[in-house]
Amino acid sequence: MKYLFTVLFLSTIGASFSQSIKLLPEKMDAVNVKVSEATYKGKKAVSVIGNNYNAEELAIIKDIMFKNGTIELDVSGDRLPGTDTNFRGFIGLAFRLQHEKDTLKYECLYLRPTLGRDEDQLRRNHSTQYISAPYFPWQLLRNETPGLYESYADMIPGEWTHLKIIVEGQRAWLYINNASQPTLIVNDLKLGNSKGALALWIGPGTDGYFANLKISSH
């Protein structure tokens, strides 16, 4: 299967900019998801719902190429009605996305909102996650380096959560809800000091909403 997306806006190395990106379905390439405009809990947003539990579920934002900088975004994730309780409302952002033959390669930081206030402390510790597709899924990272690419953050499924992601070279920092300290630090991004597109990311069985995307380079 070929994934088609266009990247026209390039950030020049050494230049700086700050830009708010209006999220519109026609400005995205949907990969196994349905994207539609929505107003959700007081915010103009896009709804992203998957249609294939066994495949990538992404909405790739057209006309953006990202390497280093800060990304801010509001997200809300919860289980779709009737889905398995093992689904966690997975929601996040993929960055430095590249198309290689029939494969999408990308870095991703995402949330498991239903674990934010779980009564089991071990589950709470899995509230946030880093992965790098396709070679470093969460199962591999958790088995080989337990706890290194996951962390706890307070969140409520179905409510808005503010994400700030700072990316510099091979490092990334994830901040939740305007906290002064990062929730999760990744010191070895698996795709190296690369560049690529941005994409709204969801996992299986997720009712996802995204709003207020802002990008700053540095």
Side-chain angles (χ1 to χ4, degrees):
M1 180 184 295
K2 294 290 185 183
Y3 301 103
L4 300 178
F5 61 95
T6 305
V7 178
L8 299 177
F9 181 83
L10 301 179
S11 63
T12 304
I13 296 173
S16 63
F17 72 94
S18 181
Q19 184 178 9
S20 294
I21 308 297
K22 191 171 184 180
L23 296 175
L24 296 170
E26 61 268 26
K27 296 294 185 179
M28 301 179 195
D29 288 319
V31 180
N32 299 313
V33 294
K34 178 183 178 182
V35 184
S36 58
E37 293 188 65
T39 298
Y40 182 75
K41 298 198 172 181
K43 296 186 180 184
K44 291 287 186 181
V46 289
S47 165
V48 181
I49 297 176
N51 58 25
N52 188 336
Y53 287 4
N54 298 310
E56 301 285 354
E57 295 183 324
L58 300 161
I60 303 168
I61 303 170
K62 298 177 182 179
D63 304 338
I64 292 177
M65 182 71 78
F66 176 83
K67 185 174 183 179
N68 295 319
T70 300
I71 307 162
E72 296 193 61
L73 180 66
D74 295 326
V75 302
S76 174
D78 202 352
R79 298 185 188 100
L80 285 167
T83 57
D84 192 301
T85 57
N86 286 322
F87 294 157
R88 305 300 186 186
F90 315 100
I91 192 162
L93 185 79
F95 55 97
R96 293 179 170 177
L97 183 148
Q98 305 158 30
H99 183 212
E100 185 177 277
K101 295 183 180 180
D102 293 336
T103 301
L104 291 177
K105 297 171 63 178
Y106 58 84
E107 314 282 19
C108 182
L109 287 162
Y110 70 89
L111 312 179
R112 297 184 178 96
T114 62
L115 300 185
R117 298 190 177 182
D118 198 283
E119 290 300 312
D120 184 313
Q121 183 59 52
L122 184 57
R123 288 182 178 178
R124 283 194 180 212
N125 294 344
H126 302 321
S127 301
T128 70
Q129 177 79 52
Y130 162 75
I131 59 171
S132 183
Y135 303 117
F136 295 90
W138 68 268
Q139 303 97 321
L140 175 68
L141 295 176
R142 185 180 294 176
N143 289 336
E144 293 190 350
T145 52
L148 185 60
Y149 299 102
E150 301 176 86
S151 186
Y152 169 71
D154 182 33
M155 65 191 78
I156 302 172
E159 298 294 334
W160 286 111
T161 300
H162 183 72
L163 306 184
K164 182 171 77 171
I165 298 170
I166 299 175
V167 181
E168 286 290 346
Q170 292 183 250
R171 305 186 72 197
W173 298 259
L174 172 65
Y175 295 78
I176 303 292
N177 287 334
N178 301 306
S180 61
Q181 291 294 313
T183 290
L184 183 61
I185 300 172
V186 181
N187 290 313
D188 59 339
L189 293 172
K190 304 305 183 183
L191 296 181
N193 189 19
S194 59
K195 64 181 177 181
L198 299 178
L200 311 180
W201 182 99
I202 62 169
T206 295
D207 184 15
Y209 296 88
F210 298 81
N212 300 328
L213 175 62
K214 181 178 179 181
I215 305 170
S216 302
S217 74
H218 39 81

